[in-house]
Amino acid sequence: MTAILTRPAWTTDLEVEIFDKLLDQYAPHLPKARSLASRPPATLEERENFYHFRVAGAAHDLFIVQVCAKVIGMLPDAELQLFLSRQIGDDGAHAENTRLRAQAISGRNPIPDIQKQVQKHWDYMGDLPIRNWQGFLAFELHYELHIVATLFLNSRTSKINDPDSAKFAAERIVPDEAVHRLGIVDWWQRKFAQASPAEKEDLIAQLLEADEEGQRRRNPYLRDHWLLSQKAIGVEIDDLPVLYDAWRRQVLAYFLDVPVAHLPQLVSVND
Ligand SMILES: [Fe+2]
Ligand SMILES: [Fe+2]
């Protein structure tokens, strides 16, 4: 694989630029910005669907907290530990806000449902996130970076949202998540920069293998979650598999510092 000599820093502007290029290529009919305002869930059925969508959101964040809390003492890297301590605090706050909104919307305590969903993440991911640093990095890629194509589509095409959740997301979640993504890029780049050319080849192979395992493990969850998102918030999901796969290739090419075309064929979300 040939290294690219100059590449831009990973920023939220670069993310939009990459995603919009993918839209032009794979789904030019989808919007580049939100055109319709979303509305709160109205009927009993809409509130119930929205509740399950929020429970899934809280479980995603709480699973991140649980994994990072286990790993923070396992990897003796003070810079990484400082980053993880922030991620634990942020994603814990996101899970807590989402839990409270789910409670307000449904009138019931969502903790048992959230716990059940967090357990599902542990069941399908197995020991990958806590096996070694490669597995943990693959977990971070899947839970923070590979999902970005889905987040873009949600933010542009969803029809139902809760105003309080939307406000918290805009003020807190969106900026926090950008910090998380940049922190993961930074951790990997520090590790990669210190490696010799021969070690770099090994690191690339190890990361790809762990990331592919993560994709195979996550596929049934992702497909179910997208159906729930369509039902609960009316997001456009027809083009999501192709956009998800293409976005993931872009992220991995950036991480591994190779042109996208030089990556091997990867596991698809449809596999
Ligand atoms: Fe989060
Ligand atoms: Fe996060």
Side-chain angles (χ1 to χ4, degrees):
M1 290 193 245
T2 320
I4 305 168
L5 292 177
T6 52
R7 62 180 169 164
W10 188 267
T11 60
T12 50
D13 285 346
L14 181 67
E15 290 176 338
V16 174
E17 191 187 314
I18 293 172
F19 184 71
D20 283 348
K21 271 192 200 146
L22 296 179
L23 273 192
D24 287 336
Q25 196 177 346
Y26 296 107
H29 54 283
L30 289 177
K32 299 245 165 55
R34 169 173 288 285
S35 56
L36 289 173
S38 54
R39 62 165 178 81
T43 65
L44 210 61
E45 192 190 348
E46 282 180 359
R47 283 215 298 280
E48 184 65 14
N49 290 337
F50 192 77
Y51 166 80
H52 288 294
F53 178 73
R54 295 283 62 199
V55 163
H60 170 93
D61 275 315
L62 183 52
F63 180 60
I64 292 173
V65 168
Q66 292 184 3
V67 170
C68 292
K70 271 189 199 282
V71 165
I72 196 165
M74 287 165 53
L75 301 175
D77 174 340
E79 217 166 335
L80 178 68
Q81 287 171 343
L82 289 174
F83 164 65
L84 292 182
S85 63
R86 165 145 193 199
Q87 193 186 6
I88 290 169
D90 291 343
D91 284 328
H94 304 168
E96 172 66 351
N97 180 271
T98 308
R99 175 270 274 265
L100 293 173
R101 292 313 304 153
Q103 190 156 354
I105 284 155
S106 68
R108 61 189 196 263
N109 174 13
I111 287 291
D113 287 337
I114 292 170
Q115 246 161 356
K116 246 185 256 162
Q117 295 304 316
V118 171
Q119 188 54 46
K120 278 192 188 166
H121 286 276
W122 281 112
D123 291 345
Y124 77 71
M125 287 300 276
D127 73 336
L128 179 67
I130 56 170
R131 188 185 300 157
N132 48 31
W133 73 262
Q134 296 91 334
F136 176 64
L137 178 54
F139 153 81
E140 288 277 34
L141 280 164
H142 278 281
Y143 279 74
E144 297 280 354
L145 274 130
H146 296 336
I147 61 166
V148 165
T150 315
L151 301 180
F152 274 127
L153 275 194
N154 283 2
S155 71
R156 295 176 187 186
T157 71
S158 67
K159 291 165 194 73
I160 292 179
N161 202 353
D162 153 52
D164 283 18
S165 299
K167 188 166 178 282
F168 185 79
E171 287 172 0
R172 183 78 205 265
I173 297 179
V174 169
D176 286 347
E177 295 306 340
V179 171
H180 300 173
R181 296 197 292 276
L182 301 192
I184 295 158
V185 173
D186 186 58
W187 172 42
W188 164 255
Q189 287 184 338
R190 276 191 290 120
K191 223 174 170 56
F192 199 62
Q194 288 162 7
S196 70
E199 286 167 344
K200 279 189 171 123
E201 289 300 311
D202 280 348
L203 288 181
I204 288 173
Q206 289 164 10
L207 179 57
L208 265 184
E209 193 186 329
D211 199 82
E212 288 281 78
E213 179 180 341
Q215 191 59 53
R216 280 189 292 272
R217 288 180 176 277
R218 247 165 94 69
N219 277 350
Y221 165 84
L222 284 175
R223 294 194 297 258
D224 281 355
H225 184 67
W226 293 348
L227 286 173
L228 173 62
S229 308
Q230 182 186 42
K231 192 163 79 165
I233 61 169
V235 68
E236 301 282 343
I237 62 163
D238 292 356
D239 303 288
L240 199 40
V242 68
L243 289 169
Y244 177 91
D245 286 347
W247 172 261
R248 179 168 166 251
R249 284 185 77 79
Q250 296 282 337
V251 170
L252 288 173
Y254 185 91
F255 262 67
L256 305 181
D257 204 7
V258 296
V260 177
H262 288 212
L263 285 176
Q265 198 185 343
L266 299 177
V267 172
S268 162
V269 69
N270 283 327
D271 289 341

